[in-house]
Amino acid sequence: MTYTAHTDTFARDHLPPAEQWPEFLFERPELQFPDRLNCATELLDRRIAEGRGARLCLRAPAGGVEWTFADLQQRANRIANVLVKEMGLVPGNRVLLRAPNNPMLVACWFAVMKAGGIAVATMPLLRAKELRQVISKGRVTHALCDLRLIDELRAALRDEPVLTEVRTFYDESAQGLEAAMARHSDQFENVDTAAVDTCILAFTSGTTGQPKGTMHFHRDVMAACTSFPRHVLRPRESDVFLGSPPLAFTFGLGGLVLFPMSVGASIVLLEQAAPPALLEAIPAYGVTTLITAPTSYRVMAEEARKMRLSVAQGGTLRQCVSAGEVLPAATRLLWKDATGIEIIDGIGATEMLHIFISADEAHARPGATGTVVPGYRACILDDDGKPLPPGTVGRLAVKGPTGCRYLDDERQKVYVQNGWNLTGDAYLMDEDGYFHYQARTDDMIVSAGYNIGAPEVEEALLTHPAVAECAVIGAPDEERGQIVKAFVVLREGHAGDAAMVRTLQDYVKATIAPYKYPRAVEFRDQLPRTETGKLQRFRLRA
C-alpha cells in the first residue's frame, strides 16, 4: 500500500486500521491482479481495444437510447474531462452520483473511475436529510445529478459547504453537463490508479438504522467480476441483461453494469422497473438474463406463464437471478412452474460488494441459498467464534477476495472478527456444504425456549392462496419472552378479519411445527421496504 494515485488522501486516511481488516484471499489464478489497475480500463476501454466498440452496450426506453461500447466510452471521456478541467476534480475526490437507472448514470460512473475519483452513488428516493448524512460522512466534494432529482440535493447542500461542484445532466440549459461535455474532447487518459485505491464508497441500504459507508478498491470491482459471474452466472457476450435493483445498490451495479460489461454483453436500463415494466421489456429487447428480488418473481409468475418468456417456451429468457432477501422455496417453485427456469439464488452484502454464496441452475436446491462461490470460504460460528458442525444454526462468516472496510466506523470491529466477515445472518450448513438461511442474527425468535426462524413461518404463510406478502418478527411477550407475530398483505378479494386470522394460524400449524404458528396476525395494505426491495423489519418492530 505504498503507492496511490490519490492526491486527495481522505479515503486512505479513513480506512480502518489494518489489524481490523478481514483476511483477503487471492488463491485462484483469476484473482491475481497487477499493482496498478483502473477498473474502467478493464471493463470499458478494453472492449474497444479488442475491436468490439461497435457492439451494442446500453439501451433504455426513456429517450430511445441505443449506445455502443464506443458511444459509452466517448461520453465517459467527455464527462471525465469536465470533472477534471472544469470542476477541479483531483484523484481521490468523492463524487456523489444521483439518478434512476439510466445510461447517463453509467457514463458518469465510468467517468469518475477514469478520473481516479471515488463514486458515491445514492438511491433516487433519498431525501435531503439522508443525502446530508452521506455527504457529511464521505466528505463529498463533487456531484453529478439527474436534473429531475436536484431539489433534494439542493436542500441537502444548504448545510454542507464541502460539496461545491454540482452539475446536472438531462439538462438542456447552458449550465448543464451536456453543454459542458460538448466543449471537451472524447479522448481521456485514465488515471493510473493503484489496484488498492478506493473507487467506490457504497452506503448500506438502511435495513438496520444508520447507514455505514463501505469502501471498495479497483481490485475489489474486478474480483467481483471474476467470482460469482464467472463460476455461477457464466454470462455470454450475446446476453441481454435486465433488472430492477438501483445501480446505487451494489447488487444492481454488479448485475446490471459490471458483470455484463466484463464479457461485452448488452444492458437494458429501466428507470421504473416494476414487475409490469420488466415483463414488457423482456420480449421487447430479447432479454436473456433477469435480475430482481423474490417479491417481483412471485408477482410476475402468472403473467410470465401466459407470455411464454423462457427459451423453453419459445422466448429469449434463459437465466434469472435473485438476491437482496431470502428466496422462499414456494416462490422458486412458482417461477419454475411458470417459466421452466430455476432461479439462481445468492447472498451478498454491501460490505462484500456482491454475491459470495450461490448455486447455478443445475445445482440449486429448494430452501438452500447455495454453496460457497469459488474464491471465497464460509463457515458457521458460535457466539464465541468457534466453528459449528453441519446442521447447527449459527453466525455466517465469510472471507475471500473482497471484504468489509467501513469508512471511519467503530462498527468495523463488530463486522470483522478474527479475519472473518460476520454478515449478521443466521445460517446452517448441511452435510453437502449447502447453506440454509434461518434469519438475521437479530431476527431469530426465541419463544418459550424454542428458536424459531422468521423465514420458515413466512414460507408457510406464503403458500396459502390468500397471502400476497408477509413478514414475521418476534414481538415481546411477558409469558413466553417473545411470540411470533405476522404482518400479512392479503390478495384481492380476501378480508382481513378474525376468521382469516384463525384460518392462517391453523394453516401454519398444519404446515410446520405447531409451536411456530403466529400467535398474533396484523393485516397491512403493504410492507415497509427499502428502495432496493429489502424488507425493513426494524420498522415493523417499532
Side-chain angles (χ1 to χ4, degrees), residues 21-64:
W21 288 26
E23 180 185 0
F24 288 95
L25 306 176
F26 302 100
E27 299 159 335
R28 300 183 68 86
E30 65 268 22
L31 295 173
Q32 308 303 308
F33 300 109
D35 291 338
R36 305 285 179 87
L37 181 70
N38 186 306
C39 63
T41 303
E42 299 304 312
L43 294 169
L44 176 54
D45 297 349
R46 189 171 297 280
R47 302 288 84 78
I48 288 88
E50 293 168 346
R52 294 190 280 180
R55 284 188 55 80
L56 197 58
C57 178
L58 287 170
R59 287 180 287 172

mmCIF file of all heavy atoms in Angstrom, residues 21-64:
data_model
loop_
_atom_site.group_PDB
_atom_site.id
_atom_site.type_symbol
_atom_site.label_atom_id
_atom_site.label_comp_id
_atom_site.label_asym_id
_atom_site.label_seq_id
_atom_site.Cartn_x
_atom_site.Cartn_y
_atom_site.Cartn_z
ATOM 1 N N TRP A 21 -8.885 -5.283 9.500
ATOM 2 C CA TRP A 21 -9.337 -5.743 8.189
ATOM 3 C C TRP A 21 -9.619 -7.243 8.233
ATOM 4 O O TRP A 21 -9.002 -7.980 9.018
ATOM 5 C CB TRP A 21 -8.261 -5.495 7.133
ATOM 6 C CG TRP A 21 -8.070 -4.060 6.744
ATOM 7 C CD1 TRP A 21 -8.330 -2.955 7.498
ATOM 8 C CD2 TRP A 21 -7.542 -3.596 5.500
ATOM 9 N NE1 TRP A 21 -7.998 -1.822 6.804
ATOM 10 C CE2 TRP A 21 -7.514 -2.177 5.565
ATOM 11 C CE3 TRP A 21 -7.104 -4.215 4.345
ATOM 12 C CZ2 TRP A 21 -7.056 -1.391 4.509
ATOM 13 C CZ3 TRP A 21 -6.635 -3.430 3.302
ATOM 14 C CH2 TRP A 21 -6.619 -2.040 3.380
ATOM 15 N N PRO A 22 -10.509 -7.728 7.372
ATOM 16 C CA PRO A 22 -10.650 -9.176 7.236
ATOM 17 C C PRO A 22 -9.437 -9.758 6.514
ATOM 18 O O PRO A 22 -8.640 -9.021 5.916
ATOM 19 C CB PRO A 22 -11.913 -9.328 6.372
ATOM 20 C CG PRO A 22 -11.963 -8.070 5.565
ATOM 21 C CD PRO A 22 -11.401 -6.984 6.451
ATOM 22 N N GLU A 23 -9.296 -11.062 6.575
ATOM 23 C CA GLU A 23 -8.268 -11.731 5.775
ATOM 24 C C GLU A 23 -8.750 -11.777 4.332
ATOM 25 O O GLU A 23 -9.892 -12.173 4.063
ATOM 26 C CB GLU A 23 -8.037 -13.150 6.285
ATOM 27 C CG GLU A 23 -6.983 -13.906 5.490
ATOM 28 C CD GLU A 23 -6.832 -15.358 5.920
ATOM 29 O OE1 GLU A 23 -7.556 -15.779 6.854
ATOM 30 O OE2 GLU A 23 -6.008 -16.063 5.317
ATOM 31 N N PHE A 24 -7.907 -11.369 3.391
ATOM 32 C CA PHE A 24 -8.265 -11.404 1.973
ATOM 33 C C PHE A 24 -7.582 -12.592 1.314
ATOM 34 O O PHE A 24 -6.412 -12.885 1.584
ATOM 35 C CB PHE A 24 -7.862 -10.098 1.286
ATOM 36 C CG PHE A 24 -8.728 -8.928 1.678
ATOM 37 C CD1 PHE A 24 -8.344 -8.076 2.706
ATOM 38 C CD2 PHE A 24 -9.935 -8.698 1.034
ATOM 39 C CE1 PHE A 24 -9.139 -7.006 3.082
ATOM 40 C CE2 PHE A 24 -10.741 -7.629 1.403
ATOM 41 C CZ PHE A 24 -10.358 -6.782 2.427
ATOM 42 N N LEU A 25 -8.313 -13.274 0.440
ATOM 43 C CA LEU A 25 -7.827 -14.490 -0.213
ATOM 44 C C LEU A 25 -7.702 -14.262 -1.720
ATOM 45 O O LEU A 25 -8.668 -13.833 -2.362
ATOM 46 C CB LEU A 25 -8.800 -15.654 0.053
ATOM 47 C CG LEU A 25 -9.131 -15.952 1.524
ATOM 48 C CD1 LEU A 25 -10.170 -17.060 1.607
ATOM 49 C CD2 LEU A 25 -7.868 -16.339 2.290
ATOM 50 N N PHE A 26 -6.545 -14.554 -2.263
ATOM 51 C CA PHE A 26 -6.309 -14.418 -3.707
ATOM 52 C C PHE A 26 -5.628 -15.684 -4.233
ATOM 53 O O PHE A 26 -4.620 -15.619 -4.942
ATOM 54 C CB PHE A 26 -5.450 -13.181 -3.995
ATOM 55 C CG PHE A 26 -6.063 -11.899 -3.495
ATOM 56 C CD1 PHE A 26 -5.643 -11.337 -2.294
ATOM 57 C CD2 PHE A 26 -7.067 -11.276 -4.214
ATOM 58 C CE1 PHE A 26 -6.211 -10.164 -1.825
ATOM 59 C CE2 PHE A 26 -7.644 -10.098 -3.752
ATOM 60 C CZ PHE A 26 -7.211 -9.551 -2.557
ATOM 61 N N GLU A 27 -6.188 -16.814 -3.870
ATOM 62 C CA GLU A 27 -5.543 -18.095 -4.166
ATOM 63 C C GLU A 27 -5.749 -18.545 -5.605
ATOM 64 O O GLU A 27 -4.917 -19.267 -6.150
ATOM 65 C CB GLU A 27 -6.075 -19.153 -3.195
ATOM 66 C CG GLU A 27 -5.784 -18.827 -1.744
ATOM 67 C CD GLU A 27 -6.715 -19.560 -0.770
ATOM 68 O OE1 GLU A 27 -7.835 -19.935 -1.158
ATOM 69 O OE2 GLU A 27 -6.303 -19.748 0.387
ATOM 70 N N ARG A 28 -6.819 -18.134 -6.237
ATOM 71 C CA ARG A 28 -7.132 -18.617 -7.579
ATOM 72 C C ARG A 28 -6.383 -17.790 -8.628
ATOM 73 O O ARG A 28 -6.153 -16.586 -8.447
ATOM 74 C CB ARG A 28 -8.632 -18.567 -7.829
ATOM 75 C CG ARG A 28 -9.430 -19.417 -6.841
ATOM 76 C CD ARG A 28 -10.915 -19.384 -7.172
ATOM 77 N NE ARG A 28 -11.192 -20.059 -8.433
ATOM 78 C CZ ARG A 28 -11.397 -21.370 -8.564
ATOM 79 N NH1 ARG A 28 -11.388 -22.149 -7.493
ATOM 80 N NH2 ARG A 28 -11.642 -21.898 -9.739
ATOM 81 N N PRO A 29 -6.023 -18.402 -9.754
ATOM 82 C CA PRO A 29 -5.260 -17.678 -10.793
ATOM 83 C C PRO A 29 -5.968 -16.424 -11.290
ATOM 84 O O PRO A 29 -5.319 -15.405 -11.549
ATOM 85 C CB PRO A 29 -5.130 -18.719 -11.917
ATOM 86 C CG PRO A 29 -5.291 -20.043 -11.246
ATOM 87 C CD PRO A 29 -6.217 -19.827 -10.100
ATOM 88 N N GLU A 30 -7.302 -16.483 -11.427
ATOM 89 C CA GLU A 30 -8.039 -15.332 -11.969
ATOM 90 C C GLU A 30 -8.096 -14.160 -10.991
ATOM 91 O O GLU A 30 -8.541 -13.061 -11.346
ATOM 92 C CB GLU A 30 -9.464 -15.739 -12.372
ATOM 93 C CG GLU A 30 -10.370 -16.166 -11.239
ATOM 94 C CD GLU A 30 -10.351 -17.671 -10.971
ATOM 95 O OE1 GLU A 30 -9.359 -18.321 -11.352
ATOM 96 O OE2 GLU A 30 -11.329 -18.177 -10.384
ATOM 97 N N LEU A 31 -7.643 -14.383 -9.758
ATOM 98 C CA LEU A 31 -7.666 -13.328 -8.750
ATOM 99 C C LEU A 31 -6.287 -12.689 -8.525
ATOM 100 O O LEU A 31 -6.086 -11.982 -7.543
ATOM 101 C CB LEU A 31 -8.207 -13.873 -7.423
ATOM 102 C CG LEU A 31 -9.671 -14.325 -7.451
ATOM 103 C CD1 LEU A 31 -10.055 -15.009 -6.140
ATOM 104 C CD2 LEU A 31 -10.596 -13.149 -7.730
ATOM 105 N N GLN A 32 -5.369 -12.937 -9.442
ATOM 106 C CA GLN A 32 -4.048 -12.308 -9.373
ATOM 107 C C GLN A 32 -4.105 -11.001 -10.151
ATOM 108 O O GLN A 32 -4.238 -11.009 -11.370
ATOM 109 C CB GLN A 32 -2.978 -13.234 -9.953
ATOM 110 C CG GLN A 32 -2.973 -14.639 -9.360
ATOM 111 C CD GLN A 32 -2.796 -14.623 -7.850
ATOM 112 O OE1 GLN A 32 -1.875 -13.998 -7.329
ATOM 113 N NE2 GLN A 32 -3.679 -15.314 -7.140
ATOM 114 N N PHE A 33 -4.023 -9.873 -9.449
ATOM 115 C CA PHE A 33 -4.161 -8.570 -10.089
ATOM 116 C C PHE A 33 -2.849 -7.791 -10.021
ATOM 117 O O PHE A 33 -2.094 -7.907 -9.056
ATOM 118 C CB PHE A 33 -5.272 -7.760 -9.410
ATOM 119 C CG PHE A 33 -6.620 -8.425 -9.463
ATOM 120 C CD1 PHE A 33 -7.187 -8.966 -8.313
ATOM 121 C CD2 PHE A 33 -7.306 -8.527 -10.659
ATOM 122 C CE1 PHE A 33 -8.424 -9.587 -8.361
ATOM 123 C CE2 PHE A 33 -8.554 -9.146 -10.718
ATOM 124 C CZ PHE A 33 -9.104 -9.681 -9.557
ATOM 125 N N PRO A 34 -2.586 -6.964 -11.040
ATOM 126 C CA PRO A 34 -1.370 -6.139 -11.008
ATOM 127 C C PRO A 34 -1.498 -5.035 -9.954
ATOM 128 O O PRO A 34 -2.599 -4.718 -9.495
ATOM 129 C CB PRO A 34 -1.313 -5.553 -12.425
ATOM 130 C CG PRO A 34 -2.745 -5.544 -12.880
ATOM 131 C CD PRO A 34 -3.382 -6.753 -12.271
ATOM 132 N N ASP A 35 -0.355 -4.430 -9.603
ATOM 133 C CA ASP A 35 -0.359 -3.365 -8.600
ATOM 134 C C ASP A 35 -1.092 -2.119 -9.098
ATOM 135 O O ASP A 35 -1.677 -1.385 -8.299
ATOM 136 C CB ASP A 35 1.067 -2.994 -8.212
ATOM 137 C CG ASP A 35 1.755 -4.103 -7.434
ATOM 138 O OD1 ASP A 35 1.052 -4.945 -6.853
ATOM 139 O OD2 ASP A 35 3.001 -4.131 -7.423
ATOM 140 N N ARG A 36 -1.026 -1.862 -10.405
ATOM 141 C CA ARG A 36 -1.719 -0.722 -10.999
ATOM 142 C C ARG A 36 -2.931 -1.259 -11.758
ATOM 143 O O ARG A 36 -2.796 -2.137 -12.607
ATOM 144 C CB ARG A 36 -0.792 0.038 -11.958
ATOM 145 C CG ARG A 36 0.522 0.491 -11.331
ATOM 146 C CD ARG A 36 0.312 1.694 -10.419
ATOM 147 N NE ARG A 36 1.564 2.130 -9.800
ATOM 148 C CZ ARG A 36 2.421 2.982 -10.344
ATOM 149 N NH1 ARG A 36 2.181 3.498 -11.529
ATOM 150 N NH2 ARG A 36 3.527 3.330 -9.695
ATOM 151 N N LEU A 37 -4.079 -0.697 -11.457
ATOM 152 C CA LEU A 37 -5.320 -1.220 -12.048
ATOM 153 C C LEU A 37 -6.370 -0.127 -12.005
ATOM 154 O O LEU A 37 -6.579 0.510 -10.966
ATOM 155 C CB LEU A 37 -5.800 -2.442 -11.248
ATOM 156 C CG LEU A 37 -7.072 -3.151 -11.703
ATOM 157 C CD1 LEU A 37 -6.843 -3.881 -13.024
ATOM 158 C CD2 LEU A 37 -7.529 -4.160 -10.641
ATOM 159 N N ASN A 38 -7.043 0.109 -13.143
ATOM 160 C CA ASN A 38 -8.195 1.003 -13.200
ATOM 161 C C ASN A 38 -9.347 0.207 -13.797
ATOM 162 O O ASN A 38 -9.241 -0.279 -14.931
ATOM 163 C CB ASN A 38 -7.890 2.247 -14.039
ATOM 164 C CG ASN A 38 -9.014 3.267 -13.992
ATOM 165 O OD1 ASN A 38 -10.163 2.956 -14.274
ATOM 166 N ND2 ASN A 38 -8.682 4.501 -13.636
ATOM 167 N N CYS A 39 -10.415 0.046 -13.041
ATOM 168 C CA CYS A 39 -11.487 -0.849 -13.486
ATOM 169 C C CYS A 39 -12.186 -0.334 -14.747
ATOM 170 O O CYS A 39 -12.743 -1.123 -15.511
ATOM 171 C CB CYS A 39 -12.479 -1.115 -12.357
ATOM 172 S SG CYS A 39 -13.370 0.324 -11.749
ATOM 173 N N ALA A 40 -12.159 0.981 -15.008
ATOM 174 C CA ALA A 40 -12.744 1.495 -16.249
ATOM 175 C C ALA A 40 -11.939 1.025 -17.462
ATOM 176 O O ALA A 40 -12.502 0.743 -18.523
ATOM 177 C CB ALA A 40 -12.805 3.020 -16.215
ATOM 178 N N THR A 41 -10.636 0.944 -17.309
ATOM 179 C CA THR A 41 -9.793 0.433 -18.387
ATOM 180 C C THR A 41 -10.163 -1.002 -18.705
ATOM 181 O O THR A 41 -10.295 -1.389 -19.880
ATOM 182 C CB THR A 41 -8.308 0.512 -17.986
ATOM 183 O OG1 THR A 41 -7.987 1.854 -17.653
ATOM 184 C CG2 THR A 41 -7.405 0.029 -19.111
ATOM 185 N N GLU A 42 -10.347 -1.806 -17.659
ATOM 186 C CA GLU A 42 -10.620 -3.237 -17.846
ATOM 187 C C GLU A 42 -12.028 -3.497 -18.372
ATOM 188 O O GLU A 42 -12.234 -4.366 -19.218
ATOM 189 C CB GLU A 42 -10.415 -3.973 -16.523
ATOM 190 C CG GLU A 42 -9.008 -3.875 -15.966
ATOM 191 C CD GLU A 42 -7.960 -4.368 -16.945
ATOM 192 O OE1 GLU A 42 -8.137 -5.453 -17.519
ATOM 193 O OE2 GLU A 42 -6.961 -3.648 -17.153
ATOM 194 N N LEU A 43 -13.011 -2.778 -17.864
ATOM 195 C CA LEU A 43 -14.412 -3.087 -18.185
ATOM 196 C C LEU A 43 -14.929 -2.386 -19.437
ATOM 197 O O LEU A 43 -15.787 -2.921 -20.136
ATOM 198 C CB LEU A 43 -15.306 -2.719 -17.002
ATOM 199 C CG LEU A 43 -15.104 -3.549 -15.741
ATOM 200 C CD1 LEU A 43 -15.843 -2.922 -14.567
ATOM 201 C CD2 LEU A 43 -15.564 -4.987 -15.947
ATOM 202 N N LEU A 44 -14.409 -1.196 -19.712
ATOM 203 C CA LEU A 44 -14.919 -0.417 -20.846
ATOM 204 C C LEU A 44 -13.885 -0.267 -21.954
ATOM 205 O O LEU A 44 -14.115 -0.703 -23.085
ATOM 206 C CB LEU A 44 -15.371 0.965 -20.353
ATOM 207 C CG LEU A 44 -15.854 1.962 -21.414
ATOM 208 C CD1 LEU A 44 -16.967 1.371 -22.270
ATOM 209 C CD2 LEU A 44 -16.299 3.262 -20.762
ATOM 210 N N ASP A 45 -12.745 0.317 -21.648
ATOM 211 C CA ASP A 45 -11.768 0.609 -22.706
ATOM 212 C C ASP A 45 -11.226 -0.651 -23.371
ATOM 213 O O ASP A 45 -10.907 -0.643 -24.567
ATOM 214 C CB ASP A 45 -10.606 1.429 -22.138
ATOM 215 C CG ASP A 45 -11.068 2.787 -21.614
ATOM 216 O OD1 ASP A 45 -12.228 3.155 -21.878
ATOM 217 O OD2 ASP A 45 -10.288 3.462 -20.923
ATOM 218 N N ARG A 46 -11.129 -1.722 -22.600
ATOM 219 C CA ARG A 46 -10.618 -2.967 -23.168
ATOM 220 C C ARG A 46 -11.537 -3.503 -24.272
ATOM 221 O O ARG A 46 -11.078 -4.109 -25.229
ATOM 222 C CB ARG A 46 -10.419 -4.014 -22.068
ATOM 223 C CG ARG A 46 -9.680 -5.259 -22.551
ATOM 224 C CD ARG A 46 -9.309 -6.182 -21.398
ATOM 225 N NE ARG A 46 -8.384 -5.557 -20.468
ATOM 226 C CZ ARG A 46 -7.073 -5.459 -20.683
ATOM 227 N NH1 ARG A 46 -6.545 -5.917 -21.802
ATOM 228 N NH2 ARG A 46 -6.300 -4.887 -19.787
ATOM 229 N N ARG A 47 -12.848 -3.290 -24.138
ATOM 230 C CA ARG A 47 -13.779 -3.746 -25.177
ATOM 231 C C ARG A 47 -13.464 -3.060 -26.501
ATOM 232 O O ARG A 47 -13.489 -3.684 -27.566
ATOM 233 C CB ARG A 47 -15.222 -3.428 -24.765
ATOM 234 C CG ARG A 47 -15.707 -4.015 -23.453
ATOM 235 C CD ARG A 47 -15.939 -5.528 -23.507
ATOM 236 N NE ARG A 47 -14.742 -6.303 -23.295
ATOM 237 C CZ ARG A 47 -14.181 -6.527 -22.101
ATOM 238 N NH1 ARG A 47 -14.712 -6.028 -21.013
ATOM 239 N NH2 ARG A 47 -13.098 -7.259 -21.998
ATOM 240 N N ILE A 48 -13.166 -1.759 -26.448
ATOM 241 C CA ILE A 48 -12.848 -1.022 -27.677
ATOM 242 C C ILE A 48 -11.500 -1.473 -28.219
ATOM 243 O O ILE A 48 -11.335 -1.681 -29.426
ATOM 244 C CB ILE A 48 -12.871 0.502 -27.406
ATOM 245 C CG1 ILE A 48 -14.312 0.985 -27.204
ATOM 246 C CG2 ILE A 48 -12.262 1.262 -28.570
ATOM 247 C CD1 ILE A 48 -14.844 0.910 -25.822
ATOM 248 N N ALA A 49 -10.536 -1.664 -27.308
ATOM 249 C CA ALA A 49 -9.199 -2.109 -27.736
ATOM 250 C C ALA A 49 -9.261 -3.480 -28.407
ATOM 251 O O ALA A 49 -8.440 -3.783 -29.290
ATOM 252 C CB ALA A 49 -8.257 -2.151 -26.537
ATOM 253 N N GLU A 50 -10.219 -4.290 -28.013
ATOM 254 C CA GLU A 50 -10.392 -5.624 -28.599
ATOM 255 C C GLU A 50 -11.154 -5.592 -29.925
ATOM 256 O O GLU A 50 -11.407 -6.630 -30.515
ATOM 257 C CB GLU A 50 -11.128 -6.527 -27.617
ATOM 258 C CG GLU A 50 -10.340 -6.864 -26.357
ATOM 259 C CD GLU A 50 -11.196 -7.520 -25.266
ATOM 260 O OE1 GLU A 50 -12.440 -7.473 -25.367
ATOM 261 O OE2 GLU A 50 -10.616 -8.064 -24.315
ATOM 262 N N GLY A 51 -11.546 -4.397 -30.344
ATOM 263 C CA GLY A 51 -12.274 -4.276 -31.608
ATOM 264 C C GLY A 51 -13.773 -4.479 -31.486
ATOM 265 O O GLY A 51 -14.453 -4.702 -32.487
ATOM 266 N N ARG A 52 -14.298 -4.363 -30.246
ATOM 267 C CA ARG A 52 -15.727 -4.594 -30.050
ATOM 268 C C ARG A 52 -16.495 -3.304 -29.731
ATOM 269 O O ARG A 52 -17.590 -3.334 -29.190
ATOM 270 C CB ARG A 52 -15.930 -5.613 -28.924
ATOM 271 C CG ARG A 52 -15.411 -6.999 -29.286
ATOM 272 C CD ARG A 52 -15.826 -8.055 -28.292
ATOM 273 N NE ARG A 52 -14.991 -8.045 -27.102
ATOM 274 C CZ ARG A 52 -15.148 -8.879 -26.077
ATOM 275 N NH1 ARG A 52 -16.134 -9.766 -26.096
ATOM 276 N NH2 ARG A 52 -14.348 -8.841 -25.033
ATOM 277 N N GLY A 53 -15.898 -2.176 -30.113
ATOM 278 C CA GLY A 53 -16.518 -0.894 -29.810
ATOM 279 C C GLY A 53 -17.864 -0.683 -30.472
ATOM 280 O O GLY A 53 -18.701 0.073 -29.972
ATOM 281 N N ALA A 54 -18.109 -1.335 -31.591
ATOM 282 C CA ALA A 54 -19.373 -1.146 -32.316
ATOM 283 C C ALA A 54 -20.501 -2.018 -31.765
ATOM 284 O O ALA A 54 -21.651 -1.887 -32.205
ATOM 285 C CB ALA A 54 -19.159 -1.446 -33.802
ATOM 286 N N ARG A 55 -20.190 -2.877 -30.801
ATOM 287 C CA ARG A 55 -21.233 -3.734 -30.236
ATOM 288 C C ARG A 55 -22.182 -2.919 -29.370
ATOM 289 O O ARG A 55 -21.801 -1.958 -28.694
ATOM 290 C CB ARG A 55 -20.615 -4.853 -29.377
ATOM 291 C CG ARG A 55 -19.998 -5.982 -30.188
ATOM 292 C CD ARG A 55 -19.587 -7.141 -29.278
ATOM 293 N NE ARG A 55 -20.695 -7.613 -28.457
ATOM 294 C CZ ARG A 55 -21.667 -8.422 -28.871
ATOM 295 N NH1 ARG A 55 -21.676 -8.837 -30.124
ATOM 296 N NH2 ARG A 55 -22.619 -8.814 -28.048
ATOM 297 N N LEU A 56 -23.455 -3.328 -29.370
ATOM 298 C CA LEU A 56 -24.469 -2.654 -28.574
ATOM 299 C C LEU A 56 -24.175 -2.843 -27.093
ATOM 300 O O LEU A 56 -23.898 -3.954 -26.637
ATOM 301 C CB LEU A 56 -25.845 -3.235 -28.909
ATOM 302 C CG LEU A 56 -27.072 -2.422 -28.507
ATOM 303 C CD1 LEU A 56 -27.049 -1.033 -29.126
ATOM 304 C CD2 LEU A 56 -28.339 -3.175 -28.923
ATOM 305 N N CYS A 57 -24.202 -1.759 -26.330
ATOM 306 C CA CYS A 57 -23.873 -1.811 -24.908
ATOM 307 C C CYS A 57 -25.075 -1.465 -24.039
ATOM 308 O O CYS A 57 -25.483 -2.262 -23.205
ATOM 309 C CB CYS A 57 -22.721 -0.856 -24.615
ATOM 310 S SG CYS A 57 -22.247 -0.775 -22.873
ATOM 311 N N LEU A 58 -25.649 -0.277 -24.230
ATOM 312 C CA LEU A 58 -26.722 0.204 -23.361
ATOM 313 C C LEU A 58 -27.951 0.601 -24.168
ATOM 314 O O LEU A 58 -27.838 1.317 -25.174
ATOM 315 C CB LEU A 58 -26.259 1.429 -22.566
ATOM 316 C CG LEU A 58 -25.270 1.217 -21.426
ATOM 317 C CD1 LEU A 58 -24.757 2.559 -20.928
ATOM 318 C CD2 LEU A 58 -25.935 0.469 -20.283
ATOM 319 N N ARG A 59 -29.114 0.147 -23.702
ATOM 320 C CA ARG A 59 -30.382 0.594 -24.285
ATOM 321 C C ARG A 59 -31.322 1.021 -23.166
ATOM 322 O O ARG A 59 -31.256 0.489 -22.057
ATOM 323 C CB ARG A 59 -31.026 -0.526 -25.111
ATOM 324 C CG ARG A 59 -30.339 -0.787 -26.429
ATOM 325 C CD ARG A 59 -31.008 -1.895 -27.206
ATOM 326 N NE ARG A 59 -30.743 -3.200 -26.614
ATOM 327 C CZ ARG A 59 -31.328 -4.333 -26.995
ATOM 328 N NH1 ARG A 59 -32.238 -4.314 -27.963
ATOM 329 N NH2 ARG A 59 -31.019 -5.476 -26.426
ATOM 330 N N ALA A 60 -32.194 1.958 -23.478
ATOM 331 C CA ALA A 60 -33.165 2.428 -22.497
ATOM 332 C C ALA A 60 -34.399 2.940 -23.227
ATOM 333 O O ALA A 60 -34.271 3.675 -24.214
ATOM 334 C CB ALA A 60 -32.569 3.531 -21.634
ATOM 335 N N PRO A 61 -35.603 2.555 -22.763
ATOM 336 C CA PRO A 61 -36.829 3.051 -23.394
ATOM 337 C C PRO A 61 -36.935 4.572 -23.308
ATOM 338 O O PRO A 61 -37.404 5.215 -24.241
ATOM 339 C CB PRO A 61 -37.946 2.380 -22.587
ATOM 340 C CG PRO A 61 -37.309 1.246 -21.866
ATOM 341 C CD PRO A 61 -35.882 1.622 -21.662
ATOM 342 N N ALA A 62 -36.513 5.149 -22.172
ATOM 343 C CA ALA A 62 -36.586 6.598 -21.991
ATOM 344 C C ALA A 62 -35.643 7.273 -23.000
ATOM 345 O O ALA A 62 -34.427 7.149 -22.910
ATOM 346 C CB ALA A 62 -36.194 6.977 -20.567
ATOM 347 N N GLY A 63 -36.221 7.951 -23.970
ATOM 348 C CA GLY A 63 -35.422 8.624 -24.992
ATOM 349 C C GLY A 63 -34.972 7.719 -26.116
ATOM 350 O O GLY A 63 -34.263 8.176 -27.022
ATOM 351 N N GLY A 64 -35.359 6.443 -26.073
ATOM 352 C CA GLY A 64 -34.971 5.521 -27.142
ATOM 353 C C GLY A 64 -33.472 5.385 -27.300
ATOM 354 O O GLY A 64 -32.936 5.284 -28.408
#
